Every structure is written in structure tokens, then in C-alpha cells.
Amino acid sequence: MTKQPFILTLYIFLFFNTAITYSQELKLSNLFCDNMVLQRGTEVPVWGIAAPKDRITVRFAGQKVSTKVGKDGKWMVALAPLEASKTPREMTIIGNTEIVLSNVVVGEVWICSGQSNMQFSVNNVPETKALLASSENIRSFEVKRTVSFKEEDNVFGKWQDAPPSSAVAFGFAYFLEKSANIPIGIIHASWGSSSLEAWMPRDMAKEFPYFRNIMDDFDADTLTRNRIKSAINSLEGWSNQEDIFMRRQPNILYNAMMKPLAPYACRGLVWYQGERNTRYYAGVPEVNGDNWFHRVIGMKEYGDVLQSWIRRYRKEWNNDKMHFSVVMLPGYGKGTNNNPDIDPTSPTAMSWAWMRESQMKVLDLPYTSVVNTIDLGDEKNVHPVDKLPIGIRLALAAEKYTLDKDVVAEGPIFREVEPLNHTLIVYFKNAQGLKTVDGNAPVGFWISDGSMQWQKAKAKIVGETVVLSHGDIKDPKFVRYAFAGKPDVNLVNSADLPAYPFRTDNVIPIDE
């Protein structure tokens, strides 16, 4: 053997053995690092990789749990439920090496996900930004925005002893911390203009044929896949154009940004998404080069898909009580892709009202809440800056439904309607102290008889009800309240929380 081949052979030997040794080194998921927040009151999984058959021991808060690494090099242990603690402690993980994580606290952990209005920076909301100076006990894990063609085991990011960048996520954390007085951990995983389909696991195609068709076409689209591969492998990073292209694809955000978060112990997930799915009323449109990114389910079906999506996420986290808090889309004055210019106050226009109705379907599932934003938003701006009330209302919902606090977390919710002497009497839940914010008569109510010709109703508050009438309608049958793109509303309860939009008719549009 000559010297050169020997050196080459030795190099190859050392390379592969070094690679094997490196791959068998004790490693944790990136979710487990300095400054992390662990969820209180439930089992806490801790996981990573190591050499097969190695014994791994995790020590934290007086607990010591061990396991043997599987043949695939993966391991996981579960800490018993922990008490909340602001006191920083160390977690030690021992295998063929030892890892010590510092500044670990225990409190409430939430994932905050969605599209641009969740991504919307705290720096763009002066009222929320002003709270940074008085914030404490809030930590965050910012999930890197990236994609993958396969479900990943690990996520890019790290815990920081600092609030999240999202205005909604920070506002939520701020007011929740003030109420609970324990550490709050936010895992922020959002990406502007992403659809529900972008965050859907591939196996949901078994339940929804439309999603199966989308994924089949995506798999067969060599040009798209090569473009994505080129962007994510670029040493210089991808351009803004490539960024938009990737985040509007199906499934691949879930693979890279959500799948590897499970089963990190958390209380729940805040979901502020839906704008991308409002471009059509129903079905999945045919697409072309100009509107390829609109190939998503419409408003009519969104609620059914969202319900299944929640059930699927709970399965991934192995937690049937994982709470999902959905942010209702706020006021906005544009219509669908086929008819964008609408009357934003009309109760019959094809507007975001239909998406809000769809979002409310999640309340059919246990351990869910919908935060009402019907009094917020901007008629002409899809990115309104009034994010502070959303954070406040999200915190109230979490206090009521996950911390079991005796608080009013919602405004009036429609219960039933009763006809009486040419009027309609509307009954609500959560109607204690029913009033209007401006002291005037309630607005935003429309009524009709069997002809379905809607008229603005004359409305007055009587106790905890609203009585509706119109001089030209002798036999009123149906009510629509705040059922418009950007309705005028003023009805609240004693907690100053707005009444939820609703309709009592079952008429749906024939077309857009």
C-alpha cells in the first residue's frame, strides 16, 4: 500500500468513526436549554438522542428519572407534575456525558401560532410596547421560520429570558402573568400569510379529500419542490420572494415548526389565523399562476377542518384537555377574491362574517374558547394595530378556562330569540349589566321576515335582553347581529366585553 492511499483510507476511517461517535453523543431537543419554562401540574416529557442502549438519567426539582435509549437512538422520560416556581433551578441530564441546564423555572406554557397578525411585532403596537418596561417572569422560545418536506424531530430556536416578539403573544403573557403571578413561557411559531393547510399534518389527507388532492399535486410539482430546496439550502439565505413562496405551501410549516414541538408540556395553543382562508366562501378554487397561493379551503368548511385539526394536535401532544384559544378575525372591509369591493356594514355581503361564524364552531369541542374581536380591526388594513385588547381577552379566557378563576371572560353570547307582538326579544348568556359603550341604543342588529329582506332594527335594552323591531316588518322572524365585514357595534356587558356576532337564519349564499 502506498502512502497516499493509506492516508486516504485512514481519513475515511476517522471520518466515519467520528461521525458515528458524534451521532451517539447525548443530545437534547433544542426545546430543552437554559432559561426554559416547564409546565406545572402535569407530566413533563424530556427527550433527546444518545447511543442506543445507553442509560439516561434526568434530575430536576428533587426528582430522578431514568430510561434506556432505544435502538433508534431516541430516548424520553417524564417528570412527575411540578409546582410552579419562579426560583431558577438546574436540570441535569446524565448519559455518556453530562448536560446541565440553568435558570429553569416552572409555570404556564403556551404555544402562540398563526399568520401575520400573530407575527405582528410588539414594536408596532405602542400601547403594548409600553408594557415591556413592567413585564416580568415572561420567557419565550422563538421558533425559526423554516420548512421541511418531512416531519422533523428537532426545532430551531432557544429559550430566552425575555418576552416574545409577537404583540398578541406578549400581551397575552403579560396579563396572564399579572393574574397568575407565576412564570409564563411562550413558544411563538407563526408565519405571515400562512394558511391552515400549511400547519396541517400530512395524515389529515385521509380525512379530507381536498387536502389529499393538494398534497398529491404538491408531491408531483417538481418545479415547486426544487425551488424550495434551493431556497432552504442557499448559503446566502432566501429572498423575501422565496420567503412568501415557501410559507404559502401546504404541510411543510407543520413539519418544521410544529411537529418537533410535540409533546413539550404546555397548557394550550393560541391560534390567530384564518385571513388566508377568507378569499373564497366555499370549496377549493381552481388556481393559476396569479392565484396559486389561494388553493386552500374556504370559509364555509374552515370550521369543520379546524375542529379536526385541533383533535389531531391533541393526539400529537397526547393531551385531550389541551386548550385551544382561537382569535376571531376582527373587522375588515374587503370581500372575497371574486368580489372584494363590498359594503362593510352589510349583513348579506360575502365578508369575514362567514369566517367568524366558522371559527365559532370550535366551541362544539371541549376545552376551547373564541376571543371576540368584533369591535376591533380596521376597514382598510388587514393588519390592524389594536392588538392590546386581544391580549387582555386571551388572558381572561385562560384565567377562566385553565386557571379556574372566577372572572368574566366573554361578552354577551346569543342564547335564543322569542317573537312577541311584532318584536323579537333576544336573550343572551353573559349578559349581566348589559349596556352600550356610548350610552346610545344598540346598533348592528338587522331583522327580517320570511322574505329575507333585511332591515336595520330599532333596538333597546330591557334588562338582560335586547328588543328589536322595524316599522315595516310586522312579523319578524330572523336576526343578524354584527354579521358584516366591519359592523358598527356598541353592545357590551358589565365587563365591557363585546357581544358576539350571530345570525338566527339558516340561509347560506348560493354564490359569491
Side-chain angles (χ1 to χ4, degrees), residues 328-334 342-356 374 444 446 480-489 501-502:
M328 179 185 289
L329 295 192
Y332 183 57
K334 293 292 184 181
I342 61 170
D343 177 354
T345 64
S346 168
T348 59
M350 187 49 59
S351 68
W352 281 14
W354 301 94
M355 174 57 89
R356 298 183 197 113
I374 197 61
W446 296 70
R480 289 187 178 186
Y481 171 69
F483 203 83
K486 184 69 172 72
D488 295 322
V489 294
F502 68 90

PDB file of all heavy atoms in Angstrom, residues 328-334 342-356 374 444 446 480-489 501-502:
ATOM      1  N   MET A 328     -60.918  35.357  17.050  1.00  0.00           N
ATOM      2  CA  MET A 328     -61.853  35.677  15.968  1.00  0.00           C
ATOM      3  C   MET A 328     -61.261  36.769  15.075  1.00  0.00           C
ATOM      4  O   MET A 328     -60.613  37.697  15.570  1.00  0.00           O
ATOM      5  CB  MET A 328     -63.171  36.158  16.570  1.00  0.00           C
ATOM      6  CG  MET A 328     -64.234  36.540  15.558  1.00  0.00           C
ATOM      7  SD  MET A 328     -65.706  37.225  16.354  1.00  0.00           S
ATOM      8  CE  MET A 328     -66.399  35.764  17.117  1.00  0.00           C
ATOM      9  N   LEU A 329     -61.477  36.652  13.769  1.00  0.00           N
ATOM     10  CA  LEU A 329     -60.988  37.699  12.885  1.00  0.00           C
ATOM     11  C   LEU A 329     -61.728  39.008  13.167  1.00  0.00           C
ATOM     12  O   LEU A 329     -62.953  39.029  13.268  1.00  0.00           O
ATOM     13  CB  LEU A 329     -61.175  37.304  11.423  1.00  0.00           C
ATOM     14  CG  LEU A 329     -60.370  36.106  10.928  1.00  0.00           C
ATOM     15  CD1 LEU A 329     -60.440  36.035   9.401  1.00  0.00           C
ATOM     16  CD2 LEU A 329     -58.926  36.161  11.387  1.00  0.00           C
ATOM     17  N   PRO A 330     -60.998  40.111  13.277  1.00  0.00           N
ATOM     18  CA  PRO A 330     -61.620  41.402  13.612  1.00  0.00           C
ATOM     19  C   PRO A 330     -62.292  42.029  12.408  1.00  0.00           C
ATOM     20  O   PRO A 330     -62.379  41.445  11.331  1.00  0.00           O
ATOM     21  CB  PRO A 330     -60.427  42.233  14.083  1.00  0.00           C
ATOM     22  CG  PRO A 330     -59.280  41.703  13.274  1.00  0.00           C
ATOM     23  CD  PRO A 330     -59.545  40.226  13.133  1.00  0.00           C
ATOM     24  N   GLY A 331     -62.759  43.252  12.580  1.00  0.00           N
ATOM     25  CA  GLY A 331     -63.423  43.957  11.500  1.00  0.00           C
ATOM     26  C   GLY A 331     -62.496  44.237  10.336  1.00  0.00           C
ATOM     27  O   GLY A 331     -61.345  44.621  10.512  1.00  0.00           O
ATOM     28  N   TYR A 332     -63.037  44.047   9.109  1.00  0.00           N
ATOM     29  CA  TYR A 332     -62.279  44.310   7.894  1.00  0.00           C
ATOM     30  C   TYR A 332     -63.278  44.515   6.766  1.00  0.00           C
ATOM     31  O   TYR A 332     -64.301  43.825   6.701  1.00  0.00           O
ATOM     32  CB  TYR A 332     -61.333  43.154   7.587  1.00  0.00           C
ATOM     33  CG  TYR A 332     -60.448  43.351   6.380  1.00  0.00           C
ATOM     34  CD1 TYR A 332     -59.595  44.448   6.288  1.00  0.00           C
ATOM     35  CD2 TYR A 332     -60.466  42.434   5.342  1.00  0.00           C
ATOM     36  CE1 TYR A 332     -58.778  44.624   5.180  1.00  0.00           C
ATOM     37  CE2 TYR A 332     -59.648  42.607   4.217  1.00  0.00           C
ATOM     38  CZ  TYR A 332     -58.806  43.700   4.150  1.00  0.00           C
ATOM     39  OH  TYR A 332     -58.005  43.878   3.051  1.00  0.00           O
ATOM     40  N   GLY A 333     -62.984  45.437   5.868  1.00  0.00           N
ATOM     41  CA  GLY A 333     -63.993  45.870   4.920  1.00  0.00           C
ATOM     42  C   GLY A 333     -63.957  45.274   3.536  1.00  0.00           C
ATOM     43  O   GLY A 333     -64.760  45.652   2.691  1.00  0.00           O
ATOM     44  N   LYS A 334     -63.042  44.347   3.281  1.00  0.00           N
ATOM     45  CA  LYS A 334     -62.964  43.757   1.948  1.00  0.00           C
ATOM     46  C   LYS A 334     -63.731  42.440   1.896  1.00  0.00           C
ATOM     47  O   LYS A 334     -63.915  41.755   2.910  1.00  0.00           O
ATOM     48  CB  LYS A 334     -61.504  43.503   1.568  1.00  0.00           C
ATOM     49  CG  LYS A 334     -60.692  44.769   1.369  1.00  0.00           C
ATOM     50  CD  LYS A 334     -61.153  45.544   0.136  1.00  0.00           C
ATOM     51  CE  LYS A 334     -60.269  46.766  -0.115  1.00  0.00           C
ATOM     52  NZ  LYS A 334     -60.721  47.527  -1.301  1.00  0.00           N
ATOM     53  N   ILE A 342     -67.101  45.542  -1.228  1.00  0.00           N
ATOM     54  CA  ILE A 342     -68.406  45.304  -0.617  1.00  0.00           C
ATOM     55  C   ILE A 342     -68.755  46.451   0.312  1.00  0.00           C
ATOM     56  O   ILE A 342     -67.906  47.274   0.659  1.00  0.00           O
ATOM     57  CB  ILE A 342     -68.421  43.989   0.182  1.00  0.00           C
ATOM     58  CG1 ILE A 342     -67.381  44.058   1.316  1.00  0.00           C
ATOM     59  CG2 ILE A 342     -68.173  42.780  -0.715  1.00  0.00           C
ATOM     60  CD1 ILE A 342     -67.467  42.935   2.318  1.00  0.00           C
ATOM     61  N   ASP A 343     -70.015  46.490   0.729  1.00  0.00           N
ATOM     62  CA  ASP A 343     -70.431  47.385   1.807  1.00  0.00           C
ATOM     63  C   ASP A 343     -70.006  46.715   3.111  1.00  0.00           C
ATOM     64  O   ASP A 343     -70.536  45.660   3.483  1.00  0.00           O
ATOM     65  CB  ASP A 343     -71.945  47.571   1.779  1.00  0.00           C
ATOM     66  CG  ASP A 343     -72.450  48.429   2.932  1.00  0.00           C
ATOM     67  OD1 ASP A 343     -71.647  48.791   3.826  1.00  0.00           O
ATOM     68  OD2 ASP A 343     -73.671  48.716   2.969  1.00  0.00           O
ATOM     69  N   PRO A 344     -69.046  47.277   3.837  1.00  0.00           N
ATOM     70  CA  PRO A 344     -68.522  46.602   5.027  1.00  0.00           C
ATOM     71  C   PRO A 344     -69.519  46.476   6.166  1.00  0.00           C
ATOM     72  O   PRO A 344     -69.269  45.731   7.122  1.00  0.00           O
ATOM     73  CB  PRO A 344     -67.332  47.471   5.433  1.00  0.00           C
ATOM     74  CG  PRO A 344     -67.611  48.807   4.844  1.00  0.00           C
ATOM     75  CD  PRO A 344     -68.347  48.547   3.565  1.00  0.00           C
ATOM     76  N   THR A 345     -70.649  47.181   6.079  1.00  0.00           N
ATOM     77  CA  THR A 345     -71.647  47.089   7.146  1.00  0.00           C
ATOM     78  C   THR A 345     -72.840  46.226   6.758  1.00  0.00           C
ATOM     79  O   THR A 345     -73.753  46.034   7.563  1.00  0.00           O
ATOM     80  CB  THR A 345     -72.156  48.486   7.536  1.00  0.00           C
ATOM     81  OG1 THR A 345     -72.835  49.075   6.425  1.00  0.00           O
ATOM     82  CG2 THR A 345     -71.005  49.386   7.968  1.00  0.00           C
ATOM     83  N   SER A 346     -72.845  45.689   5.543  1.00  0.00           N
ATOM     84  CA  SER A 346     -73.987  44.911   5.066  1.00  0.00           C
ATOM     85  C   SER A 346     -74.045  43.534   5.714  1.00  0.00           C
ATOM     86  O   SER A 346     -73.032  42.834   5.774  1.00  0.00           O
ATOM     87  CB  SER A 346     -73.910  44.747   3.553  1.00  0.00           C
ATOM     88  OG  SER A 346     -74.842  43.781   3.104  1.00  0.00           O
ATOM     89  N   PRO A 347     -75.237  43.102   6.164  1.00  0.00           N
ATOM     90  CA  PRO A 347     -75.365  41.777   6.777  1.00  0.00           C
ATOM     91  C   PRO A 347     -75.481  40.659   5.754  1.00  0.00           C
ATOM     92  O   PRO A 347     -75.558  39.487   6.127  1.00  0.00           O
ATOM     93  CB  PRO A 347     -76.660  41.901   7.571  1.00  0.00           C
ATOM     94  CG  PRO A 347     -77.494  42.841   6.763  1.00  0.00           C
ATOM     95  CD  PRO A 347     -76.520  43.848   6.193  1.00  0.00           C
ATOM     96  N   THR A 348     -75.492  40.991   4.477  1.00  0.00           N
ATOM     97  CA  THR A 348     -75.624  39.963   3.438  1.00  0.00           C
ATOM     98  C   THR A 348     -74.405  39.874   2.532  1.00  0.00           C
ATOM     99  O   THR A 348     -74.308  38.944   1.734  1.00  0.00           O
ATOM    100  CB  THR A 348     -76.864  40.226   2.564  1.00  0.00           C
ATOM    101  OG1 THR A 348     -76.752  41.513   1.949  1.00  0.00           O
ATOM    102  CG2 THR A 348     -78.131  40.172   3.398  1.00  0.00           C
ATOM    103  N   ALA A 349     -73.484  40.824   2.633  1.00  0.00           N
ATOM    104  CA  ALA A 349     -72.293  40.802   1.780  1.00  0.00           C
ATOM    105  C   ALA A 349     -71.421  39.592   2.125  1.00  0.00           C
ATOM    106  O   ALA A 349     -71.419  39.110   3.257  1.00  0.00           O
ATOM    107  CB  ALA A 349     -71.497  42.092   1.958  1.00  0.00           C
ATOM    108  N   MET A 350     -70.694  39.099   1.146  1.00  0.00           N
ATOM    109  CA  MET A 350     -69.776  37.994   1.369  1.00  0.00           C
ATOM    110  C   MET A 350     -68.515  38.554   2.013  1.00  0.00           C
ATOM    111  O   MET A 350     -67.581  38.981   1.350  1.00  0.00           O
ATOM    112  CB  MET A 350     -69.456  37.289   0.045  1.00  0.00           C
ATOM    113  CG  MET A 350     -68.637  36.016   0.219  1.00  0.00           C
ATOM    114  SD  MET A 350     -69.294  34.896   1.466  1.00  0.00           S
ATOM    115  CE  MET A 350     -70.925  34.603   0.797  1.00  0.00           C
ATOM    116  N   SER A 351     -68.506  38.529   3.343  1.00  0.00           N
ATOM    117  CA  SER A 351     -67.468  39.188   4.126  1.00  0.00           C
ATOM    118  C   SER A 351     -66.846  38.205   5.116  1.00  0.00           C
ATOM    119  O   SER A 351     -67.156  37.013   5.130  1.00  0.00           O
ATOM    120  CB  SER A 351     -68.082  40.357   4.900  1.00  0.00           C
ATOM    121  OG  SER A 351     -68.976  39.852   5.900  1.00  0.00           O
ATOM    122  N   TRP A 352     -65.987  38.750   5.982  1.00  0.00           N
ATOM    123  CA  TRP A 352     -65.370  37.934   7.027  1.00  0.00           C
ATOM    124  C   TRP A 352     -66.387  37.424   8.046  1.00  0.00           C
ATOM    125  O   TRP A 352     -66.060  36.586   8.884  1.00  0.00           O
ATOM    126  CB  TRP A 352     -64.287  38.733   7.734  1.00  0.00           C
ATOM    127  CG  TRP A 352     -63.001  38.798   6.970  1.00  0.00           C
ATOM    128  CD1 TRP A 352     -62.792  38.466   5.663  1.00  0.00           C
ATOM    129  CD2 TRP A 352     -61.735  39.226   7.486  1.00  0.00           C
ATOM    130  NE1 TRP A 352     -61.479  38.656   5.326  1.00  0.00           N
ATOM    131  CE2 TRP A 352     -60.802  39.120   6.418  1.00  0.00           C
ATOM    132  CE3 TRP A 352     -61.296  39.691   8.719  1.00  0.00           C
ATOM    133  CZ2 TRP A 352     -59.449  39.459   6.574  1.00  0.00           C
ATOM    134  CZ3 TRP A 352     -59.954  40.025   8.878  1.00  0.00           C
ATOM    135  CH2 TRP A 352     -59.044  39.918   7.817  1.00  0.00           C
ATOM    136  N   ALA A 353     -67.611  37.919   7.987  1.00  0.00           N
ATOM    137  CA  ALA A 353     -68.640  37.430   8.916  1.00  0.00           C
ATOM    138  C   ALA A 353     -68.792  35.918   8.817  1.00  0.00           C
ATOM    139  O   ALA A 353     -69.025  35.231   9.822  1.00  0.00           O
ATOM    140  CB  ALA A 353     -69.977  38.113   8.613  1.00  0.00           C
ATOM    141  N   TRP A 354     -68.671  35.389   7.622  1.00  0.00           N
ATOM    142  CA  TRP A 354     -68.842  33.951   7.416  1.00  0.00           C
ATOM    143  C   TRP A 354     -67.670  33.171   8.009  1.00  0.00           C
ATOM    144  O   TRP A 354     -67.856  32.040   8.480  1.00  0.00           O
ATOM    145  CB  TRP A 354     -69.020  33.661   5.934  1.00  0.00           C
ATOM    146  CG  TRP A 354     -70.204  34.387   5.373  1.00  0.00           C
ATOM    147  CD1 TRP A 354     -70.218  35.605   4.752  1.00  0.00           C
ATOM    148  CD2 TRP A 354     -71.579  33.973   5.443  1.00  0.00           C
ATOM    149  NE1 TRP A 354     -71.499  35.962   4.419  1.00  0.00           N
ATOM    150  CE2 TRP A 354     -72.360  34.975   4.823  1.00  0.00           C
ATOM    151  CE3 TRP A 354     -72.221  32.842   5.946  1.00  0.00           C
ATOM    152  CZ2 TRP A 354     -73.740  34.888   4.700  1.00  0.00           C
ATOM    153  CZ3 TRP A 354     -73.605  32.748   5.821  1.00  0.00           C
ATOM    154  CH2 TRP A 354     -74.342  33.764   5.212  1.00  0.00           C
ATOM    155  N   MET A 355     -66.492  33.760   7.996  1.00  0.00           N
ATOM    156  CA  MET A 355     -65.354  33.100   8.643  1.00  0.00           C
ATOM    157  C   MET A 355     -65.514  33.113  10.158  1.00  0.00           C
ATOM    158  O   MET A 355     -65.224  32.114  10.833  1.00  0.00           O
ATOM    159  CB  MET A 355     -64.045  33.790   8.237  1.00  0.00           C
ATOM    160  CG  MET A 355     -62.825  33.262   8.986  1.00  0.00           C
ATOM    161  SD  MET A 355     -62.569  31.484   8.819  1.00  0.00           S
ATOM    162  CE  MET A 355     -61.538  31.427   7.353  1.00  0.00           C
ATOM    163  N   ARG A 356     -65.990  34.223  10.704  1.00  0.00           N
ATOM    164  CA  ARG A 356     -66.193  34.272  12.160  1.00  0.00           C
ATOM    165  C   ARG A 356     -67.200  33.210  12.598  1.00  0.00           C
ATOM    166  O   ARG A 356     -67.028  32.567  13.639  1.00  0.00           O
ATOM    167  CB  ARG A 356     -66.660  35.671  12.570  1.00  0.00           C
ATOM    168  CG  ARG A 356     -65.651  36.763  12.252  1.00  0.00           C
ATOM    169  CD  ARG A 356     -66.123  38.130  12.732  1.00  0.00           C
ATOM    170  NE  ARG A 356     -65.345  39.176  12.066  1.00  0.00           N
ATOM    171  CZ  ARG A 356     -65.827  40.046  11.198  1.00  0.00           C
ATOM    172  NH1 ARG A 356     -67.129  40.025  10.888  1.00  0.00           N
ATOM    173  NH2 ARG A 356     -65.062  40.939  10.634  1.00  0.00           N
ATOM    174  N   ILE A 374     -64.875  41.607  17.470  1.00  0.00           N
ATOM    175  CA  ILE A 374     -65.766  42.241  16.508  1.00  0.00           C
ATOM    176  C   ILE A 374     -65.760  43.763  16.620  1.00  0.00           C
ATOM    177  O   ILE A 374     -66.104  44.475  15.674  1.00  0.00           O
ATOM    178  CB  ILE A 374     -67.212  41.705  16.667  1.00  0.00           C
ATOM    179  CG1 ILE A 374     -68.056  42.023  15.429  1.00  0.00           C
ATOM    180  CG2 ILE A 374     -67.852  42.219  17.949  1.00  0.00           C
ATOM    181  CD1 ILE A 374     -67.536  41.406  14.157  1.00  0.00           C
ATOM    182  N   GLY A 444     -76.149  47.596  15.061  1.00  0.00           N
ATOM    183  CA  GLY A 444     -75.609  46.376  14.485  1.00  0.00           C
ATOM    184  C   GLY A 444     -76.613  45.254  14.327  1.00  0.00           C
ATOM    185  O   GLY A 444     -76.263  44.174  13.838  1.00  0.00           O
ATOM    186  N   TRP A 446     -79.959  43.578  12.624  1.00  0.00           N
ATOM    187  CA  TRP A 446     -80.786  43.568  11.423  1.00  0.00           C
ATOM    188  C   TRP A 446     -81.838  42.470  11.598  1.00  0.00           C
ATOM    189  O   TRP A 446     -81.551  41.415  12.167  1.00  0.00           O
ATOM    190  CB  TRP A 446     -79.951  43.262  10.181  1.00  0.00           C
ATOM    191  CG  TRP A 446     -78.920  44.308   9.861  1.00  0.00           C
ATOM    192  CD1 TRP A 446     -77.780  44.586  10.556  1.00  0.00           C
ATOM    193  CD2 TRP A 446     -78.929  45.207   8.753  1.00  0.00           C
ATOM    194  NE1 TRP A 446     -77.079  45.593   9.962  1.00  0.00           N
ATOM    195  CE2 TRP A 446     -77.759  45.999   8.843  1.00  0.00           C
ATOM    196  CE3 TRP A 446     -79.809  45.411   7.681  1.00  0.00           C
ATOM    197  CZ2 TRP A 446     -77.433  46.977   7.913  1.00  0.00           C
ATOM    198  CZ3 TRP A 446     -79.487  46.390   6.745  1.00  0.00           C
ATOM    199  CH2 TRP A 446     -78.323  47.167   6.863  1.00  0.00           C
ATOM    200  N   ARG A 480     -79.852  39.083  12.527  1.00  0.00           N
ATOM    201  CA  ARG A 480     -78.411  39.030  12.330  1.00  0.00           C
ATOM    202  C   ARG A 480     -77.794  40.174  13.131  1.00  0.00           C
ATOM    203  O   ARG A 480     -78.239  41.319  13.013  1.00  0.00           O
ATOM    204  CB  ARG A 480     -78.028  39.143  10.847  1.00  0.00           C
ATOM    205  CG  ARG A 480     -78.373  37.904  10.037  1.00  0.00           C
ATOM    206  CD  ARG A 480     -77.843  37.949   8.614  1.00  0.00           C
ATOM    207  NE  ARG A 480     -78.176  36.708   7.905  1.00  0.00           N
ATOM    208  CZ  ARG A 480     -77.753  36.389   6.681  1.00  0.00           C
ATOM    209  NH1 ARG A 480     -76.971  37.249   6.023  1.00  0.00           N
ATOM    210  NH2 ARG A 480     -78.095  35.241   6.122  1.00  0.00           N
ATOM    211  N   TYR A 481     -76.805  39.836  13.924  1.00  0.00           N
ATOM    212  CA  TYR A 481     -76.142  40.865  14.721  1.00  0.00           C
ATOM    213  C   TYR A 481     -74.647  40.889  14.396  1.00  0.00           C
ATOM    214  O   TYR A 481     -73.967  39.852  14.452  1.00  0.00           O
ATOM    215  CB  TYR A 481     -76.312  40.624  16.223  1.00  0.00           C
ATOM    216  CG  TYR A 481     -75.436  41.560  17.041  1.00  0.00           C
ATOM    217  CD1 TYR A 481     -75.721  42.931  17.088  1.00  0.00           C
ATOM    218  CD2 TYR A 481     -74.301  41.097  17.696  1.00  0.00           C
ATOM    219  CE1 TYR A 481     -74.906  43.806  17.780  1.00  0.00           C
ATOM    220  CE2 TYR A 481     -73.478  41.968  18.409  1.00  0.00           C
ATOM    221  CZ  TYR A 481     -73.784  43.319  18.438  1.00  0.00           C
ATOM    222  OH  TYR A 481     -72.980  44.198  19.117  1.00  0.00           O
ATOM    223  N   ALA A 482     -74.160  42.065  14.077  1.00  0.00           N
ATOM    224  CA  ALA A 482     -72.738  42.270  13.776  1.00  0.00           C
ATOM    225  C   ALA A 482     -72.249  41.316  12.705  1.00  0.00           C
ATOM    226  O   ALA A 482     -71.071  40.968  12.666  1.00  0.00           O
ATOM    227  CB  ALA A 482     -71.898  42.120  15.054  1.00  0.00           C
ATOM    228  N   PHE A 483     -73.161  40.902  11.852  1.00  0.00           N
ATOM    229  CA  PHE A 483     -72.827  39.933  10.817  1.00  0.00           C
ATOM    230  C   PHE A 483     -72.451  40.685   9.543  1.00  0.00           C
ATOM    231  O   PHE A 483     -73.204  40.732   8.565  1.00  0.00           O
ATOM    232  CB  PHE A 483     -74.012  38.985  10.574  1.00  0.00           C
ATOM    233  CG  PHE A 483     -73.620  37.673   9.973  1.00  0.00           C
ATOM    234  CD1 PHE A 483     -73.158  36.636  10.774  1.00  0.00           C
ATOM    235  CD2 PHE A 483     -73.685  37.469   8.612  1.00  0.00           C
ATOM    236  CE1 PHE A 483     -72.776  35.423  10.226  1.00  0.00           C
ATOM    237  CE2 PHE A 483     -73.307  36.260   8.039  1.00  0.00           C
ATOM    238  CZ  PHE A 483     -72.851  35.238   8.853  1.00  0.00           C
ATOM    239  N   ALA A 484     -71.254  41.283   9.580  1.00  0.00           N
ATOM    240  CA  ALA A 484     -70.772  42.104   8.468  1.00  0.00           C
ATOM    241  C   ALA A 484     -69.260  42.158   8.536  1.00  0.00           C
ATOM    242  O   ALA A 484     -68.646  41.774   9.544  1.00  0.00           O
ATOM    243  CB  ALA A 484     -71.369  43.509   8.549  1.00  0.00           C
ATOM    244  N   GLY A 485     -68.657  42.659   7.451  1.00  0.00           N
ATOM    245  CA  GLY A 485     -67.207  42.735   7.419  1.00  0.00           C
ATOM    246  C   GLY A 485     -66.647  43.616   8.514  1.00  0.00           C
ATOM    247  O   GLY A 485     -65.764  43.213   9.273  1.00  0.00           O
ATOM    248  N   LYS A 486     -67.164  44.849   8.593  1.00  0.00           N
ATOM    249  CA  LYS A 486     -66.728  45.794   9.636  1.00  0.00           C
ATOM    250  C   LYS A 486     -67.980  46.467  10.189  1.00  0.00           C
ATOM    251  O   LYS A 486     -68.323  47.595   9.849  1.00  0.00           O
ATOM    252  CB  LYS A 486     -65.778  46.840   9.057  1.00  0.00           C
ATOM    253  CG  LYS A 486     -65.194  47.815  10.091  1.00  0.00           C
ATOM    254  CD  LYS A 486     -64.230  47.111  11.018  1.00  0.00           C
ATOM    255  CE  LYS A 486     -63.491  48.103  11.921  1.00  0.00           C
ATOM    256  NZ  LYS A 486     -64.374  48.690  12.970  1.00  0.00           N
ATOM    257  N   PRO A 487     -68.717  45.761  11.046  1.00  0.00           N
ATOM    258  CA  PRO A 487     -70.000  46.293  11.526  1.00  0.00           C
ATOM    259  C   PRO A 487     -69.818  47.390  12.567  1.00  0.00           C
ATOM    260  O   PRO A 487     -68.784  47.466  13.239  1.00  0.00           O
ATOM    261  CB  PRO A 487     -70.655  45.057  12.151  1.00  0.00           C
ATOM    262  CG  PRO A 487     -69.495  44.256  12.651  1.00  0.00           C
ATOM    263  CD  PRO A 487     -68.406  44.445  11.623  1.00  0.00           C
ATOM    264  N   ASP A 488     -70.833  48.217  12.684  1.00  0.00           N
ATOM    265  CA  ASP A 488     -70.900  49.164  13.797  1.00  0.00           C
ATOM    266  C   ASP A 488     -71.500  48.425  14.991  1.00  0.00           C
ATOM    267  O   ASP A 488     -72.598  47.862  14.898  1.00  0.00           O
ATOM    268  CB  ASP A 488     -71.790  50.358  13.432  1.00  0.00           C
ATOM    269  CG  ASP A 488     -71.214  51.177  12.293  1.00  0.00           C
ATOM    270  OD1 ASP A 488     -69.971  51.337  12.249  1.00  0.00           O
ATOM    271  OD2 ASP A 488     -71.992  51.651  11.444  1.00  0.00           O
ATOM    272  N   VAL A 489     -70.807  48.410  16.110  1.00  0.00           N
ATOM    273  CA  VAL A 489     -71.277  47.695  17.294  1.00  0.00           C
ATOM    274  C   VAL A 489     -71.014  48.534  18.539  1.00  0.00           C
ATOM    275  O   VAL A 489     -70.068  49.324  18.583  1.00  0.00           O
ATOM    276  CB  VAL A 489     -70.595  46.322  17.441  1.00  0.00           C
ATOM    277  CG1 VAL A 489     -70.986  45.377  16.319  1.00  0.00           C
ATOM    278  CG2 VAL A 489     -69.072  46.459  17.495  1.00  0.00           C
ATOM    279  N   PRO A 501     -70.970  38.191  17.472  1.00  0.00           N
ATOM    280  CA  PRO A 501     -71.835  38.218  16.289  1.00  0.00           C
ATOM    281  C   PRO A 501     -72.599  36.902  16.161  1.00  0.00           C
ATOM    282  O   PRO A 501     -72.128  35.854  16.607  1.00  0.00           O
ATOM    283  CB  PRO A 501     -70.857  38.404  15.132  1.00  0.00           C
ATOM    284  CG  PRO A 501     -69.534  37.924  15.644  1.00  0.00           C
ATOM    285  CD  PRO A 501     -69.537  38.213  17.108  1.00  0.00           C
ATOM    286  N   PHE A 502     -73.788  36.980  15.553  1.00  0.00           N
ATOM    287  CA  PHE A 502     -74.575  35.763  15.352  1.00  0.00           C
ATOM    288  C   PHE A 502     -75.628  36.009  14.286  1.00  0.00           C
ATOM    289  O   PHE A 502     -75.912  37.147  13.899  1.00  0.00           O
ATOM    290  CB  PHE A 502     -75.252  35.321  16.659  1.00  0.00           C
ATOM    291  CG  PHE A 502     -76.332  36.253  17.150  1.00  0.00           C
ATOM    292  CD1 PHE A 502     -77.657  36.089  16.755  1.00  0.00           C
ATOM    293  CD2 PHE A 502     -76.040  37.315  18.007  1.00  0.00           C
ATOM    294  CE1 PHE A 502     -78.660  36.944  17.195  1.00  0.00           C
ATOM    295  CE2 PHE A 502     -77.020  38.179  18.456  1.00  0.00           C
ATOM    296  CZ  PHE A 502     -78.343  37.993  18.046  1.00  0.00           C
TER     297      PHE A 502
END
